[in-house]
Amino acid sequence: MFNSENKIKNVYLCSAKVTFLTEKEKREIHETFNADICDMESVGIVLTCELNNIPCLMLKGVSDGLTGGAGEFFEELTKAALICLKTADEIIKNM
């Protein structure tokens, strides 16, 4: 997620057992865990890195919002992927 200066901002990520959550489930996760986004994969990667003392930077391209579902996901997928690619490119250039 980007802040008002178009810079990367830290977000809280929650992991779920299912790919597509209902709006009600997304709201419950946000209210319970203060999560900004939810996915199924990141927690495994981050925990593995932490257990092995490996630095980890996770870039997530979020393609569905609170009220959107599968339709919004597929509609926004390419846009989210391109933003992630551009962001990764900028990070690598500044290393």
Side-chain angles (χ1 to χ4, degrees):
M1 298 181 113
F2 293 95
N3 61 20
S4 60
E5 292 89 40
N6 210 23
K7 302 282 184 182
I8 297 172
K9 93 173 196 182
N10 292 331
V11 298
Y12 290 101
L13 170 72
C14 186
S15 188
K17 295 188 286 185
V18 295
T19 52
F20 295 106
L21 301 170
T22 66
E23 180 180 347
K24 180 181 180 218
E25 291 168 324
K26 290 177 183 180
R27 286 186 189 281
E28 288 173 356
I29 288 171
H30 174 70
E31 290 168 8
T32 303
F33 302 103
N34 197 32
D36 297 300
I37 60 175
C38 187
D39 78 357
M40 295 176 62
E41 310 83 19
S42 298
V43 69
I45 295 167
V46 171
L47 287 175
T48 300
C49 288
E50 278 196 17
L51 289 171
N52 292 285
N53 295 315
I54 298 170
C56 178
L57 171 66
M58 184 74 56
L59 296 177
K60 295 292 298 178
V62 179
S63 56
D64 62 322
L66 182 63
T67 58
E72 182 184 20
F73 170 82
F74 290 111
E75 190 175 300
E76 296 293 324
L77 183 60
T78 300
K79 180 180 173 184
L82 289 173
I83 290 170
C84 247
L85 182 60
K86 180 181 175 187
T87 303
D89 188 50
E90 289 297 318
I91 290 170
I92 291 167
K93 284 179 184 176
N94 290 306
M95 292 181 96

